[in-house]
Amino acid sequence: MRFHLNQKTIVFFLFAALYLPQFVNAGEPPLQLSTKSQVDESGAVTVFLTLKNTADEPLFHIHPMFHFHHTNAMMPMIAKMQPGETVTLKNTKHPPVVRAGRYPLVAMAHYNTERTQSVPLTALHTDSFYYQEPVDSEVSGKIESVVASTGSFLKVLLENHSAALKNVRMMLLLPPGVNAESFKGMMGFTLRGGESKYFEVPLQRSAESPDGSYPVHLMIEYGEMLKHYTGEIRGKIQFGPLMDAQTLALHSLAIALMSLGLYFAYKRKWKLANA
């Protein structure tokens, strides 16, 4: 077998070392959620929640629910879903909407697999629907995760891209087992035109929650000129080492392959130079 040391060879091995483990570990959660909303002229809201088991094993004790503003709307429990099975549920408990604009929609489901009988897994889905007019939020931002010796926390940056003042309300959605003592329920503040706001949110996890990366969602709402606006910022929070044992092993294997390839390439080049 011949190895030629050139730019393409080096790039290939670097790519394998850095990104191959991410492709190996990449995958969708076994329970996928999707929503479809209908709003009539009077503001009455109907939401259809579709659950799909994309795994190759059954899912058990599926408890779907919606989060509507300050209330939770529980849906009927599904005892079991076979691989590939799809279930659609209808909900009419959303409070009627009055203002034109866009509204947030949050769906969640707790469920078990045969391997997770003691600690349920969670599927989280965020969406939005509009009434009369699909307005777009002018407040955006980003979320970054920081792992420190004292624990993990979120760095949140919000930006008001308009010239008008915004009185925003925020709701931080966290997976089960993760909580923020300093950010519970709804929080609000004022963003002046063109202003940016930076703040940090320390997060804690339960003893049963393993190391790893968890999704977080920050929902942002505000009202202006008799219209309602909704935006969402997605991020992740990391607990423990940046790589678990499986990912670290895959990275080590990829780096070993890269080193082996470079060794043979240099050996080949040295032989040709001294021939």
Side-chain angles (χ1 to χ4, degrees):
M1 181 181 296
R2 295 183 178 181
F3 292 86
H4 298 281
L5 180 60
N6 52 41
Q7 186 178 7
K8 291 183 179 179
T9 303
I10 295 175
V11 169
F12 170 77
F13 282 110
L14 286 175
F15 178 86
L18 295 176
Y19 296 104
L20 179 60
Q22 298 183 25
F23 293 139
V24 172
N25 284 336
E28 295 294 331
L31 182 63
Q32 291 187 358
L33 308 180
S34 60
T35 53
K36 182 179 180 181
S37 305
Q38 297 176 350
V39 187
D40 64 18
E41 294 181 357
S42 66
V45 181
T46 301
V47 184
F48 296 92
L49 172 64
T50 299
L51 305 91
K52 182 177 181 180
N53 179 6
T54 62
D56 56 0
E57 62 177 338
L59 303 178
F60 305 94
H61 308 121
I62 302 102
H63 295 267
M65 60 176 287
F66 284 103
H67 184 91
F68 297 145
H69 299 289
H70 302 286
T71 62
N72 292 328
M74 304 299 297
M75 303 292 288
M77 191 271 287
I78 304 171
K80 184 177 181 180
M81 290 183 66
Q82 297 290 351
E85 184 178 357
T86 298
V87 176
T88 298
L89 304 174
K90 179 181 178 181
N91 184 285
T92 57
K93 296 181 180 179
H94 192 288
V97 294
V98 178
R99 288 186 174 186
R102 189 172 295 278
Y103 292 82
L105 186 61
V106 179
M108 182 182 297
H110 304 310
Y111 63 97
N112 291 97
T113 67
E114 292 181 351
R115 298 184 300 272
T116 60
Q117 294 297 329
S118 58
V119 181
L121 301 175
T122 301
L124 178 65
H125 171 74
T126 57
D127 198 357
S128 64
F129 64 89
Y130 70 89
Y131 173 52
Q132 295 182 348
E133 184 180 353
V135 297
D136 294 324
S137 174
E138 294 183 291
V139 177
S140 65
K142 61 181 180 179
I143 295 177
E144 295 182 1
S145 173
V146 177
V147 181
S149 58
T150 56
S152 299
F153 62 93
L154 297 174
K155 298 167 62 175
V156 182
L157 176 66
L158 298 182
E159 297 177 292
N160 181 2
H161 297 285
S162 75
L165 178 145
K166 312 293 186 189
N167 291 312
V168 301
R169 297 182 304 165
M170 302 174 296
M171 179 176 62
L172 183 62
L173 301 173
L174 301 172
V178 180
N179 64 85
E181 293 295 333
S182 62
F183 196 140
K184 290 186 175 181
M186 300 290 294
M187 291 185 62
F189 55 78
T190 298
L191 274 174
R192 294 180 175 83
E195 184 181 9
S196 299
K197 176 79 171 181
Y198 170 82
F199 58 95
E200 297 179 354
V201 183
L203 297 181
Q204 302 80 35
R205 59 169 171 162
S206 63
E208 297 80 13
S209 300
D211 290 344
S213 180
Y214 294 80
V216 296
H217 300 254
L218 182 64
M219 308 297 294
I220 302 171
E221 299 179 80
Y222 65 91
E224 184 179 61
M225 300 296 292
L226 299 179
K227 294 180 181 180
H228 187 273
Y229 294 78
T230 292
E232 177 191 6
I233 305 175
R234 301 188 181 191
K236 292 184 178 182
I237 183 66
Q238 177 73 34
F239 288 103
L242 293 178
M243 287 189 236
D244 57 23
Q246 180 183 5
T247 305
L248 182 60
L250 289 169
H251 271 275
S252 300
L253 176 61
I255 292 173
L257 291 173
M258 179 186 70
S259 302
L260 184 63
L262 292 176
Y263 166 76
F264 282 112
Y266 275 111
K267 185 177 180 180
R268 168 72 177 173
K269 185 178 181 180
W270 183 84
K271 286 183 177 180
L272 291 177
N274 292 274

